[in-house]
Amino acid sequence: MKVDLYEKIWIGLAAMMIAGFLAAIVYGAAAHAVHPPSHIETIDPLRVKTDSEFAEPGVREEGDGVTVVMVAELYRFLPEVVRVPAGRPVRFRLTSPDVLHGFQVVGTNANTMAIPGYVSEFTITFPEPGEHLIVCNEYCGLAHHQMQGRLIVEAAR
Ligand code: CUA
């Protein structure tokens, strides 16, 4: 008889937890407008390579830092080698013209997704000079494992 009572208590607790998780999802979507990472900036994926800032990806000086405009596509990053200064803010702007890709600078906190139709943006400062691998960490197709780039953090001049 006692076992039966404990079963009912645990079923009740589990049901309450599920209700709590569902409520958190609904609240997040309704009150905080759950959306892809970064801000909401849309872009026509068909125009990424021809008619946007991403048509000429690269590193641009901007204010006291630099902006890195990058394309993640099947199966490479453009540019494949990125040189940024150490100790200055680096703003990354990324998008994809085809499918979902990941963007992770190994050994750092730089990590986001490149989502067709959206621009992902984040700013980070690399304190030390060095060389990092950039990998795609979202499965995007047969050559996903070969999709990689290099980030070279150069000593400030
Ligand atoms: Cu791109 Cu995996």
Side-chain angles (χ1 to χ4, degrees):
M1 292 304 112
K2 228 175 178 180
V3 172
D4 188 44
L5 177 65
Y6 287 150
E7 283 290 326
K8 281 179 180 155
I9 290 172
W10 284 113
I11 288 170
L13 284 174
M16 276 164 57
M17 282 173 67
I18 291 168
F21 294 148
L22 283 175
I25 292 170
V26 171
Y27 174 72
H32 296 290
V34 169
H35 59 76
S38 181
H39 57 314
I40 304 180
E41 181 181 341
T42 57
I43 185 168
D44 180 353
L46 296 177
R47 294 167 69 171
V48 164
K49 301 291 296 272
T50 54
D51 181 19
S52 76
E53 69 191 282
F54 297 96
E56 286 176 41
V59 182
R60 324 202 200 303
E61 285 287 329
E62 203 174 86
D64 58 346
V66 298
T67 295
V68 183
V69 175
M70 286 189 85
V71 175
E73 64 179 14
L74 299 164
Y75 294 99
R76 60 182 179 171
F77 294 102
L78 295 174
E80 283 189 270
V81 179
V82 180
R83 290 173 187 276
V84 298
R88 288 169 63 198
V90 179
R91 182 165 70 116
F92 285 92
R93 286 175 58 75
L94 275 117
T95 193
S96 162
D98 40 54
V99 302
L100 181 75
H101 297 282
F103 174 86
Q104 182 176 6
V105 182
V106 177
T108 74
N109 280 341
N111 189 352
T112 190
M113 284 193 279
I115 304 162
Y118 290 91
V119 176
S120 300
E121 184 178 310
F122 66 93
T123 302
I124 188 170
T125 301
F126 300 100
E128 301 290 336
E131 200 171 319
H132 301 273
L133 189 65
I134 301 172
V135 296
C136 175
N137 57 12
E138 299 281 347
Y139 182 74
C140 52
L142 285 179
H144 157 72
H145 59 287
Q146 285 170 359
M147 182 168 170
Q148 52 181 253
R150 265 193 314 148
L151 180 93
I152 299 169
V153 182
E154 297 178 322
R157 275 156 287 170

